[in-house]
Amino acid sequence: MEPAIRALLRENPRMPATVLAERVGWSGSPAWFREKVARVRPQYAPADPADRISYEPGDQAQCVLWFPEVRIPVGSSNPRVLPVSVMVSSHSRFIMARMTRDLLTGMWELIGTLGAAPRRLIWDNETEMGRRNCQWPLGSAHGRPVDVPAVGQ
């Protein structure tokens, strides 16, 4: 019976277990049959398109801002929620994070951890950049223009 089930799954990997049971003439426990099919089905499932994406070293890094609920004393002022800049290298999945009051300085420090700038920085949830009364300049790093060297330069 298993060869018949495998042949049907080869043709249609998403065929429901109830239909498979009918086609192979299964008369036993439906729960037992579903369990056995669930073990075999992954061998015939099509490849997930997300699994085939690959990135070259230095191609891109994904960036996101995270706002933890912890309030931290900043200087002599009241405690604040400081954003955390997070960057993940798309090739190696290397994760870096830095808590900062200044968005661009934080990103520059994360890029410095890599040793060179990726070709592209992809921002996830970029609408977060203007929320929660963030206290950072968006056009410069502490008033200085930011110059980022490209990978290989």
Side-chain angles (χ1 to χ4, degrees):
M1 191 165 296
E2 186 175 332
I5 293 169
R6 289 182 178 277
L8 288 169
L9 286 174
R10 224 176 274 116
E11 292 174 25
N12 186 353
R14 294 189 178 131
M15 185 179 293
T18 52
V19 175
L20 285 168
E22 286 178 18
R23 300 235 175 126
V24 299
W26 178 257
S27 59
S29 166
W32 186 90
F33 188 83
R34 280 193 305 271
E35 181 182 318
K36 299 304 176 196
V37 169
R39 289 184 185 165
V40 174
R41 187 184 306 275
Q43 297 171 22
Y44 299 96
D48 183 353
D51 289 344
R52 290 184 267 155
I53 296 175
S54 62
Y55 299 97
E56 295 298 317
D59 182 37
Q60 76 177 30
Q62 185 169 353
C63 309
V64 68
L65 288 177
W66 171 48
F67 294 89
E69 294 300 322
V70 177
R71 295 190 175 279
I72 297 175
V74 178
S76 61
S77 65
N78 293 331
R80 297 183 184 193
V81 172
L82 293 178
V84 177
S85 297
V86 181
M87 186 181 294
V88 180
S89 170
S90 298
H91 172 71
S92 66
R93 310 292 194 264
F94 179 67
I95 300 173
M96 303 155 283
R98 171 98 41 209
M99 185 175 286
T100 180
R101 289 182 66 182
D102 183 322
L103 173 64
L104 292 179
T105 299
M107 294 307 300
W108 180 249
E109 290 173 356
L110 292 176
I111 290 170
T113 302
L114 289 173
R119 190 172 66 83
R120 295 178 292 179
L121 292 176
I122 309 297
W123 280 92
D124 186 21
N125 200 7
E126 62 190 60
T127 57
E128 289 291 328
M129 292 178 65
R131 293 191 181 170
R132 300 217 185 174
N133 299 320
C134 297
Q135 306 287 323
W136 58 66
L138 291 177
S140 64
H142 295 299
R144 296 182 309 272
V146 177
D147 183 24
V148 179
V151 172
Q153 290 185 352

